[in-house]
Amino acid sequence: MDKADDGRQACTADRALEELLGGLRWIVTAFEYDVLAQRAFRRFTEDEMRFHYAAAGSALVRQRDDGFELRAGDFVLLPRGGPSTLEAREPSAVYTGRLRLDVPAAEAIVRLMPEIVVACCFEHREPAVATLVAGMAQEGRAARAGSASLLTEIGNVVILAAIRSWAEDGRGMVCGWVAASRDPHLARVLDAIHRDPGSPWTVASLAQVAHSSRSQFAERFRAAVGDSPLHYLTEVRMRRAMELLADGLPSAHVGLALGYRSEAAFSRAFRRHAGLSPRGWRRERGQPA
């Protein structure tokens, strides 16, 4: 792909991201700040969505089969709601907000997001927005007239900035979410890819999910998403790989879970995507290789 093609795809993705963010809005139903001792454990049983932002320390966030080690300055959103846990790996300070969608039509897009949406280094990528989280805590404690409304307004700024930070690392997926909201056939395909990225998908098998011929499906997918089905699949796999690597899983296990026949094949794919080997990516994050 030449530079002109790159520019056209980026512009398409920017428009899709603008449309996506414009259609999302939440109501903040609760907000709290916890200082956690090492190994302190919190269990959340509510069905509502929630987010966590680490102000200090590190903690392991788990929901169903997914997990992520939240480090100081990281932000995670659990867009599908449901039970989850938070375990401090060291003395930590964590902000937690509970949410519900204020735009029911956005549920189709939210369902395509992974269990855990991770905005790594959010404090550094969005420093002005990250400081608003502490402002949410102050507003919640004040309990003045209008505090609930202000909490929701500030919360939406923070959450949308975090989703933008996350989405900018995978522009093709943003186009996919918008396409899914318009085309139920593509929605089925995208949901299948996100639910099971390690499956041995081919263009033909994805076309079957879309109830379409192979050629028609490939053309429709590229027109809607701005990318080929298999390249999109690779993006989803690489984002999932980063989450699993950050969670401490060995590189060989991550590769097998995501459909690669060997650790070497996974490492080559990861390097093409991230510019670093899985070990190098871990070292850059300050984790043991």
Side-chain angles (χ1 to χ4, degrees):
M1 182 180 291
D2 60 27
K3 291 184 179 178
D5 287 337
D6 281 342
R8 284 193 294 271
Q9 185 173 347
C11 289
T12 300
D14 283 343
R15 287 195 296 271
L17 180 56
E18 187 73 30
E19 182 175 342
L20 172 74
L21 296 178
L24 293 173
R25 181 172 172 79
W26 291 267
I27 294 173
V28 178
T29 60
F31 187 81
E32 54 195 78
Y33 173 72
D34 285 322
V35 177
L36 304 171
Q38 185 173 7
R39 297 184 180 177
F41 189 86
R42 287 207 59 192
R43 187 182 301 278
F44 301 91
T45 58
E46 304 88 352
D47 287 333
E48 290 180 307
M49 305 172 189
R50 66 186 55 82
F51 69 79
H52 301 290
Y53 174 73
S58 65
L60 181 63
V61 179
R62 284 201 174 279
Q63 184 172 49
R64 289 181 274 272
D65 296 329
D66 282 352
F68 179 78
E69 185 175 352
L70 184 71
R71 293 169 175 250
D74 289 347
F75 184 104
V76 296
L77 172 69
L78 284 65
R80 301 188 193 181
S84 65
T85 60
L86 179 72
E87 181 180 4
R89 293 289 182 87
E90 59 183 305
S92 303
V94 180
Y95 294 95
T96 297
R98 290 211 312 268
L99 319 160
R100 60 181 171 85
L101 272 175
D102 195 26
V103 184
E107 289 182 5
I109 296 175
V110 170
R111 281 199 303 270
L112 291 173
M113 293 182 179
E115 295 280 357
I116 301 178
V117 171
V118 179
C120 289
C121 306
F122 183 62
E123 182 180 22
H124 298 290
R125 297 183 68 169
E126 301 278 0
V129 179
T131 60
L132 294 176
V133 182
M136 292 180 69
Q138 294 172 1
E139 190 62 44
R141 287 194 298 268
R144 297 165 60 191
S147 285
S149 296
L150 284 172
L151 203 59
T152 284
E153 295 300 327
I154 299 171
N156 273 277
V157 171
V158 173
I159 298 162
L160 290 175
I163 292 176
R164 179 181 65 181
S165 178
W166 170 69
E168 284 175 341
D169 292 332
R171 290 178 175 274
M173 281 186 273
V174 178
C175 298
W177 300 327
V178 175
S181 69
R182 298 169 174 167
D183 187 331
H185 298 293
L186 288 181
R188 283 197 299 271
V189 171
L190 294 166
D191 184 53
I193 289 174
H194 283 270
R195 277 190 293 104
D196 190 10
S199 184
W201 295 114
T202 63
V203 175
S205 64
L206 291 171
Q208 288 181 339
V209 175
H211 299 159
S212 176
S213 71
R214 185 182 185 281
S215 58
Q216 287 177 335
F217 163 69
E219 183 178 349
R220 190 167 72 203
F221 191 98
R222 182 179 285 278
V225 178
D227 209 347
S228 70
L230 295 186
H231 191 271
Y232 180 91
L233 171 63
T234 299
E235 274 207 28
V236 174
R237 284 175 171 172
M238 291 301 103
R239 292 181 67 85
R240 179 63 178 143
M242 289 178 178
E243 294 170 8
L244 295 174
L245 289 169
D247 198 30
L249 266 68
S251 176
H253 292 184
V254 173
L256 289 174
L258 293 174
Y260 293 91
R261 295 183 178 180
S262 68
E263 184 177 6
F266 166 63
S267 184
R268 286 193 298 270
F270 190 90
R271 184 184 289 275
R272 284 194 298 269
H273 177 83
L276 294 168
S277 68
R279 289 186 178 184
W281 185 84
R282 271 188 169 141
R283 282 196 296 268
E284 191 176 68
R285 281 182 53 84
Q287 293 178 293

